[in-house]
Amino acid sequence: MTAVSDNLPTAALQRLDAAHHMHPFTAGAELAARGARVITRADGVWLTDSEGNRILDGMAGLWCVNVGYGREELAEAAARQMRALPYYNTFFQTTHVPAIALAAKLAELAPDDLNHVFFAGSGSEANETNIRMARHYWARKGKPGKQIIISRRNAYHGSSMGSASLGGMAGMHAQGGLPIPGIVHIDQPNWWAEGGEMSPEEFGRARARQLEETIAALGEDRVAAFIAEPVQGAGGVIIPPESYWPEIQRICDAHDILLIADEVICGFGRTGEWFASQSYRIRPHIVTVAKGLASGYQPIGGSIVCDAVAEVIGGGEFNHGYTYSGHPVACAVALENLRLLEEERVVEHVRDTAAPHLARAWAGLADHPLVGEAVSRGLLASLALTPDKGARAPFAEPGAAGLICRERAFANNLVMRHVGDRMVIAPPLVITPAEIDELIARARAALDETHAALDARGLMGAAA
Ligand SMILES: *Cc1c(COP(=O)(O)O)cnc(C)c1O
């Protein structure tokens, strides 16, 4: 067999891919029939595929390449660390400099008394840690009955058994016997789709109060924690009404449960602060991180834990950990990534330049006949596609418009993702205003072509 390299024709790569590579969240047969797009190189916010197309990456990979592609400093940091110490574990009374340095740096960046880090290889793994840590915390505090974790429908917390159980994705729960016991879901603060006649602020408070009602129904002595993304990402970039988080915080304070903020997407500058917990004034006991921590250059995640929880957990042996917890190469790359974000003032660039520019330009898409709402927070933005703006109506055939729009975006060399009939973007944080304008122009072209395609196929009907 000839060596597989990017010298092979695209069709040959696609055939081998379809024959041997099982893709995440993909219908294999459909992918095989159409062929996957083969990405070969990237630089800044631009991807290059095997046909030589240059594509604007409106999704920063999977919400992770915050610092942009092609940073030599990160490649160098990885190579340096691989030569010095490619691997060592952090079990059994050992440690190494990259893990020490990254934990100390995260403690410095994270708000309040979030001073301790338990490393994992991904966001899913970190949330597995959080389930066990929250339950074990209460057991050690002499309250072993506090085991239930409350989460939200249409939340995303990962794809492993525990993390997908925390998530509220019906399609995931339908496969593989989820959720695990002791996970309870409340409704999401998605005003556009579910707010009915309420104002956004009334609705935000009402959805937050479901947490209090659920704690009351279950009994406070059975609830360990509430977990949520400050802004839901994979659920469609659902930006909560301003009334939501203050009410959630009040309820967590009043009822002696842990608050876990899943900042896997929101962390490291995405909302214009280092953490969205700062943007929304949330005081979590545990923060989940991954994705932007190493800008996706290395797989790494972790739980940043407050003093009180760390003290209780550390008082005995926590029988938990991963071979790659605190992997030295991943930690070295993460540290270098954080150095770049800090020295190049990338978080300030998001807050002062990129996010305000995107907010104005993105909001302009609301005049498009297909767009029901166009919202953003930091460099997270979404559009609700609708056949009837005034009624905030969903399509009769849900998901078709979103899928067509994603494909039309791709045809215009823009990566814009769809979640049902919501379109979402989360570009690299280093995106410039000129690149944002280019992104918006391509998104508008995709919307126009989607509108024409929906008309031609008779798909503009609203759900009854
Ligand atoms: C992506 C994501 C995860 C899971 O992270 P993986 O690294 O894919 O395991 C968890 N929580 C949130 C909010 C995410 O967006």
Side-chain angles (χ1 to χ4, degrees):
M1 180 178 138
T2 48
V4 177
S5 80
D6 54 11
N7 293 327
L8 283 184
T10 301
L13 291 168
Q14 288 171 329
R15 261 195 310 279
L16 283 168
D17 183 68
H20 303 296
H21 179 194
M22 298 175 79
H23 288 245
F25 289 97
T26 301
E30 191 187 319
L31 179 86
R34 302 176 49 194
R37 205 184 258 228
V38 183
I39 306 300
T40 51
R41 312 191 65 78
D43 188 52
V45 302
W46 298 95
L47 307 171
T48 304
D49 72 8
S50 55
E51 298 292 285
N53 294 303
R54 268 169 66 76
I55 307 158
L56 207 174
D57 187 4
M59 285 302 298
L62 272 181
W63 327 80
C64 56
V65 188
N66 285 3
V67 82
Y69 297 93
R71 296 301 307 247
E72 275 300 317
E73 298 90 336
L74 300 185
E76 284 302 322
R80 255 194 327 270
Q81 186 56 44
M82 281 201 193
R83 292 194 183 99
L85 181 71
Y87 176 75
Y88 201 71
N89 70 73
T90 52
F91 291 30
F92 319 132
Q93 212 73 37
T94 59
T95 190
H96 50 68
V97 174
I100 299 167
L102 182 58
K105 185 70 199 175
L106 289 171
E108 176 197 317
L109 290 174
D112 305 328
D113 65 344
L114 292 157
N115 288 322
H116 313 267
V117 185
F118 196 105
F119 286 114
S122 67
S124 299
E125 285 182 7
N127 279 326
E128 296 292 330
T129 298
N130 293 342
I131 294 171
R132 297 194 59 202
M133 195 183 303
R135 290 175 172 177
H136 183 54
Y137 167 80
W138 289 114
R140 283 190 60 83
K141 294 266 285 183
K143 296 181 177 175
K146 284 173 82 71
Q147 294 287 296
I148 295 173
I149 300 177
I150 301 177
S151 179
R152 303 182 300 179
R153 297 188 186 90
N154 198 37
Y156 189 80
H157 296 295
S159 198
S160 54
M161 284 300 280
S163 65
S165 296
L166 292 177
M169 301 292 182
M172 293 177 75
H173 288 188
Q175 298 173 344
L178 275 57
I180 59 170
I183 311 284
V184 170
H185 295 89
I186 60 174
D187 288 320
Q188 60 174 337
N190 181 348
W191 174 81
W192 191 85
E194 300 175 4
E197 297 299 312
M198 278 187 240
S199 72
E201 299 316 309
E202 287 167 350
F203 177 73
R205 267 188 299 277
R207 282 291 154 100
R209 282 183 192 150
Q210 276 194 12
L211 176 60
E212 194 154 49
E213 292 154 17
T214 303
I215 293 168
L218 292 166
E220 193 175 306
D221 54 349
R222 294 179 58 215
V223 179
F226 173 66
I227 182 168
E229 305 151 84
V231 175
Q232 288 154 265
V237 181
I238 311 299
I239 298 166
E242 288 300 318
S243 58
Y244 182 75
W245 274 109
E247 188 65 3
I248 290 284
Q249 184 68 56
R250 178 192 70 72
I251 293 163
C252 290
D253 290 346
H255 296 285
D256 201 23
I257 65 170
L258 298 180
L259 175 54
I260 306 171
D262 185 339
E263 297 230 25
V264 168
I265 286 176
C266 293
F268 308 107
R270 179 63 56 194
T271 64
E273 302 274 353
W274 278 92
F275 294 91
S277 292
Q278 296 161 313
S279 310
Y280 283 101
R281 297 202 179 78
I282 307 167
R283 296 185 311 280
H285 297 90
I286 301 175
V287 170
T288 320
V289 293
K291 297 198 169 109
L293 171 54
S295 279
Y297 281 62
Q298 283 282 295
I300 182 169
S303 307
I304 313 180
V305 181
C306 72
D307 290 341
V309 172
E311 189 183 321
V312 169
I313 296 294
E317 182 168 335
F318 185 32
N319 298 317
H320 176 72
Y322 307 107
T323 302
Y324 301 126
S325 286
H327 190 287
V329 177
C331 287
V333 171
L335 258 176
E336 185 68 0
N337 176 58
L338 298 177
R339 186 184 73 77
L340 293 177
L341 290 178
E342 226 172 4
E343 290 190 7
E344 297 177 0
R345 302 180 62 79
V346 174
V347 182
E348 291 82 352
H349 165 74
V350 174
R351 188 190 62 205
D352 301 335
T353 305
H357 191 87
L358 178 71
R360 277 191 302 275
W362 192 258
L365 294 173
D367 69 6
H368 194 277
L370 272 187
V371 173
E373 72 167 355
V375 290
S376 69
R377 178 91 193 204
L379 288 184
L380 285 167
S382 58
L383 305 172
L385 304 186
T386 175
D388 183 347
K389 292 156 85 103
R392 307 211 311 266
F395 285 94
E397 272 186 58
L403 182 60
I404 292 170
C405 193
R406 184 190 73 182
E407 292 184 343
R408 295 325 305 163
F410 231 53
N412 282 283
N413 286 330
L414 168 67
V415 178
M416 175 164 67
R417 187 166 149 189
H418 83 116
V419 178
D421 291 314
R422 283 187 87 86
M423 305 312 299
V424 304
I425 58 152
L429 304 187
V430 295
I431 194 168
T432 64
E435 288 165 337
I436 290 172
D437 292 342
E438 187 61 42
L439 185 158
I440 299 287
R442 293 178 188 203
R444 189 175 278 281
L447 287 167
D448 288 343
E449 293 170 25
T450 302
H451 196 195
L454 291 171
D455 271 338
R457 295 188 213 171
L459 288 171
M460 279 299 286

